[in-house]
Amino acid sequence: MSKIHNFGAGPAKLPEEVYDILKNELTNFDGTGISLLETSHRSPTYFKLNKDVQDVVRRLLNVPDNYKVIFLSGGGQGQFAAVPLNLISRTGTADYVVTGTWSAKAAKEAKKYGKVNLVLPSTDRYVDIPDQSTWNLDPNASYVHICTNETIHGIEFDFIPDTKGVPLVADMSSNFMSKKVDVSKFGVIYGGAQKNIGTAGVALVIVREDLLNQALPICPSILDWTVNSKADSILNTPPMFAIHVMGRVLQWIERLGGLDTMAELANKKSSLIYDIIEQSNGFYYAPVAKNVRSKMNIPFRIGKADEALEKEFLKGAEALNLIQLKGHRDVGGIRASTYNAVTVEEVENLAKYMKEFYKKHAK
Ligand SMILES: *Cc1c(COP(=O)(O)O)cnc(C)c1O
């Protein structure tokens, strides 16, 4: 079978080198003669793995010593509940900056546990991040929640908001480890692994220590950051294999040169696609404001949202093994995800196809 180029938004492509490593160690992990899949989570083997993965997270992001690194089940949406359960008790209210589907979902979940203040005027057309001077921040909020990359709408923060001392909480599910981040500017960073750093089943949470010890009494233990950090992320059986895959992906990033390399590649890959869109005289159309266009997820329309033409584009792409390019049903059209594991060469293949399709159909 000829090579498939997977531009899916998640679960997304993993690096080929990582698959080679995983294949080799699947049935004999670390010389133990058994698979990690049947290894005890209370064995020296797993204790070492647990520490190794925490360490590579710390190295890549330069995580300061006063932050805990925790692995939890329940994916990104598990943390939509965990954030208010762990943090809203201080004042009973929280600020949510809603810039797309995912932050809207996070805000909706938080309403179950306290008062939610929507920082931005409500809209159903997400194409921009309003200037911070217009934000309606509540000085009494327990925290301010943002989604640094809206996977569906393709909107990525190009700045870290100034929250005037209120802890900033960020969902980084779809741009985790795509560039350097100053962790000290955040109270909490979290994300599901299956977009940019691994496979489904684990959420990576990085939390500042002074934000622990204030969970609501109803907080389930498996979502309680304090309980889980005390248990070193082995409170119950962790999603060990998903944590291991994340570790292998992060070690791969490190071998390639770390987050500066990932950022450079992301710039290059996303520019390849955005440049074609810009140079197509409106044949391709990216709705998002230029300064906040995502380098991870690139949604665009064809021929003024001509659905028949978009269908033809997707069909032609599939014939060339360029797959999972259909836009999310919330926005329609096309979406190309150019995560860490997607190579420049693969994006060049897509760019070439876009140019040919344009030549053939532009009037
Ligand atoms: C996919 C996604 C989620 C949800 O992740 P699950 O692991 O499926 O719960 C949350 N936030 C963002 C930004 C996402 O892209």
Side-chain angles (χ1 to χ4, degrees):
M1 194 170 175
S2 62
K3 198 170 136 57
I4 302 280
H5 306 296
N6 182 3
F7 295 95
K13 189 188 171 197
L14 291 177
E16 281 142 47
E17 293 90 327
V18 170
Y19 280 119
D20 287 338
I21 294 169
L22 295 173
K23 265 187 237 169
N24 278 325
E25 64 188 6
L26 182 62
T27 52
N28 178 3
F29 183 74
D30 203 13
T32 56
I34 61 169
S35 175
L36 179 63
L37 294 166
E38 54 186 85
T39 297
S40 166
H41 57 295
R42 307 208 186 270
S43 62
T45 306
Y46 188 70
F47 294 157
K48 177 173 182 302
L49 187 160
N50 187 39
K51 177 158 191 317
D52 286 348
V53 184
Q54 288 178 38
D55 286 349
V56 69
V57 170
R58 287 188 176 278
R59 287 195 302 272
L60 281 173
L61 278 173
N62 243 320
V63 178
D65 289 343
N66 61 327
Y67 285 73
K68 300 284 190 199
V69 173
I70 318 172
F71 310 131
L72 292 173
S73 298
Q77 292 204 51
Q79 296 308 306
F80 289 176
V83 168
L85 282 163
N86 281 279
L87 287 184
I88 210 165
S89 73
R90 190 168 61 83
T91 65
T93 171
D95 277 349
Y96 276 76
V97 183
V98 173
T99 51
T101 300
W102 288 114
S103 47
K105 276 198 183 186
K108 190 168 173 224
E109 186 71 14
K111 275 187 195 148
K112 295 178 183 173
Y113 306 107
K115 190 171 163 286
V116 164
N117 171 50
L118 296 177
V119 170
L120 303 179
S122 72
T123 175
D124 51 10
R125 202 178 122 75
Y126 301 105
V127 290
D128 204 353
I129 300 175
D131 192 87
Q132 228 211 297
S133 62
T134 68
W135 290 16
N136 171 34
L137 290 169
D138 175 2
N140 188 44
S142 296
Y143 60 90
V144 178
H145 181 280
I146 62 171
C147 174
T148 53
N149 185 69
E150 287 284 356
T151 322
I152 292 171
H153 293 85
I155 297 174
E156 185 169 12
F157 270 79
D158 63 340
F159 65 98
I160 299 177
D162 175 9
T163 55
K164 310 262 185 296
V166 177
L168 179 61
V169 177
D171 174 2
M172 292 196 182
S173 293
S174 52
N175 68 350
F176 232 153
M177 306 288 183
S178 68
K179 58 185 171 190
K180 280 216 170 105
V181 165
D182 182 353
V183 174
S184 73
K185 297 272 197 305
F186 296 84
V188 182
I189 295 173
Y190 71 90
Q194 71 273 23
K195 310 281 166 56
N196 211 22
I197 54 172
T199 189
V202 61
L204 171 59
V205 181
I206 302 171
V207 52
R208 209 172 63 214
E209 281 168 0
D210 65 287
L211 297 173
L212 298 172
N213 296 306
Q214 51 175 318
L216 292 172
I218 58 159
C219 181
S221 299
I222 56 160
L223 288 180
D224 187 320
W225 298 333
T226 310
V227 170
N228 281 279
S229 76
K230 274 191 192 137
D232 202 20
S233 298
I234 317 183
L235 177 71
N236 65 332
T237 318
M240 295 160 59
F241 198 76
I243 291 167
H244 174 54
V245 172
M246 182 168 75
R248 289 293 184 231
V249 171
L250 298 180
Q251 288 157 359
W252 168 82
I253 293 174
E254 201 167 40
R255 285 197 298 280
L256 289 189
L259 299 186
D260 283 337
T261 305
M262 290 304 116
E264 212 181 293
L265 290 170
N267 278 331
K268 192 166 172 185
K269 289 181 286 185
S270 55
S271 299
L272 277 169
I273 303 301
Y274 285 122
D275 286 352
I276 290 174
I277 294 171
E278 287 312 304
Q279 291 155 14
S280 72
N281 298 311
F283 177 74
Y284 295 117
Y285 171 70
V288 175
K290 280 189 184 152
N291 61 318
V292 292
R293 282 184 180 172
S294 170
K295 295 186 166 70
M296 296 283 108
N297 312 97
I298 307 172
F300 62 91
R301 307 293 312 236
I302 305 178
K304 304 219 164 24
D306 178 338
E307 285 179 20
L309 203 52
E310 288 170 346
K311 229 174 167 174
E312 194 181 329
F313 178 92
L314 291 170
K315 209 170 141 212
E318 297 238 342
L320 294 170
N321 287 338
L322 308 166
I323 71 160
Q324 300 217 66
L325 283 161
K326 194 174 185 326
H328 189 276
R329 60 187 184 279
D330 282 3
V331 292
I334 317 292
R335 172 175 52 174
S337 296
T338 50
Y339 294 123
N340 289 345
V342 177
T343 65
V344 174
E345 196 195 341
E346 289 182 300
V347 179
E348 282 168 350
N349 285 336
L350 172 60
K352 186 163 163 257
Y353 171 62
M354 286 175 70
K355 269 190 206 153
E356 282 163 7
F357 191 85
Y358 165 65
K359 269 194 208 139
K360 192 166 156 201
H361 294 277
K363 293 191 183 81

